[in-house]
Amino acid sequence: MNFDTWFHKQSKILQIILLIIPFVGWIMDLLVRWSAFLKKNTTVNLVMALVITLLGEFWILTILDAVWIALNNKLFLEE
């Protein structure tokens, strides 16, 4: 699964747009987080994938990811 690689190859503005659309943002976050975990089996990636899976519908975490991408070019706590 190389969804995280595809997502990070997109322009920064497209990444932010994909994350701020309510339901689409949650799905994108899920796909990118789980793809990153499957590539690099780190504890941080696993914890964040589980948090997004369980609490992602609250939308605040997705907005945090969009802001983090705007500032740092990667998702919040993604290795």
Side-chain angles (χ1 to χ4, degrees):
M1 180 182 261
N2 290 325
F3 196 78
D4 60 327
T5 305
W6 173 85
F7 182 77
H8 291 298
K9 285 183 182 176
Q10 305 307 312
S11 67
K12 186 186 293 190
I13 191 76
L14 182 59
Q15 291 176 358
I16 292 170
I17 289 170
L18 287 172
L19 286 173
I20 63 172
I21 299 171
F23 185 72
V24 174
W26 181 56
I27 297 298
M28 295 301 282
D29 223 353
L30 279 173
L31 291 172
V32 172
R33 295 285 184 178
W34 283 107
S35 177
F37 170 69
L38 291 174
K39 271 181 145 173
K40 305 170 195 165
N41 294 329
T42 63
T43 306
V44 173
N45 284 343
L46 175 62
V47 168
M48 285 308 294
L50 289 172
V51 166
I52 292 298
T53 301
L54 299 174
L55 301 176
E57 67 272 2
F58 293 119
W59 202 55
I60 194 94
L61 299 169
T62 308
I63 294 300
L64 177 66
D65 281 337
V67 170
W68 206 261
I69 281 180
L71 298 174
N72 299 323
N73 293 327
K74 67 176 192 165
L75 293 175
F76 181 68
L77 292 178
E78 179 190 30
E79 295 183 4

